[in-house]
Amino acid sequence: MKSYTTSDLPVAAYLMMKGLSLIRADRLSGRFIFELDDTDDSAAKLAIEYLNSDFCKFDNYIRNLKSVLYQNKKP
């Protein structure tokens, strides 16, 4: 079985949304590791597709909003 591994949560979620099955999910040294079934060799192409999609833009807006909230946090 061929697999595709990424530590990027949004990429892993996008690949699953596109039909790839999750084989393994771990947290190692504070990083996420996702391994997905890539039997048809589509994962790398789909990961690039994600980078050019509105899903990626949405995820960046979420990160920016979280950053604003944490910057404005008062002790």
Side-chain angles (χ1 to χ4, degrees):
M1 174 192 311
K2 293 177 119 181
S3 66
Y4 181 85
T5 303
T6 183
S7 60
D8 192 318
L9 177 62
V11 169
Y14 185 79
L15 294 177
M16 291 178 68
M17 189 177 76
K18 290 295 189 169
L20 276 69
S21 299
L22 182 66
I23 298 170
R24 177 176 68 99
D26 287 316
R27 191 170 165 192
L28 304 171
S29 303
R31 290 189 68 180
F32 297 119
I33 302 294
F34 301 99
E35 184 179 4
L36 299 110
D37 181 4
D38 191 26
T39 305
D40 62 0
D41 285 326
S42 64
K45 180 183 173 205
L46 289 170
I48 292 169
E49 181 180 292
Y50 165 76
L51 293 173
N52 294 309
S53 73
D54 286 337
F55 298 104
C56 185
K57 291 177 193 173
F58 175 80
D59 184 56
N60 286 329
Y61 282 118
I62 294 289
R63 291 175 201 232
N64 290 338
L65 288 168
K66 286 173 72 176
S67 175
V68 167
L69 291 174
Y70 285 110
Q71 287 175 2
N72 294 329
K73 187 176 180 181
K74 296 180 181 178

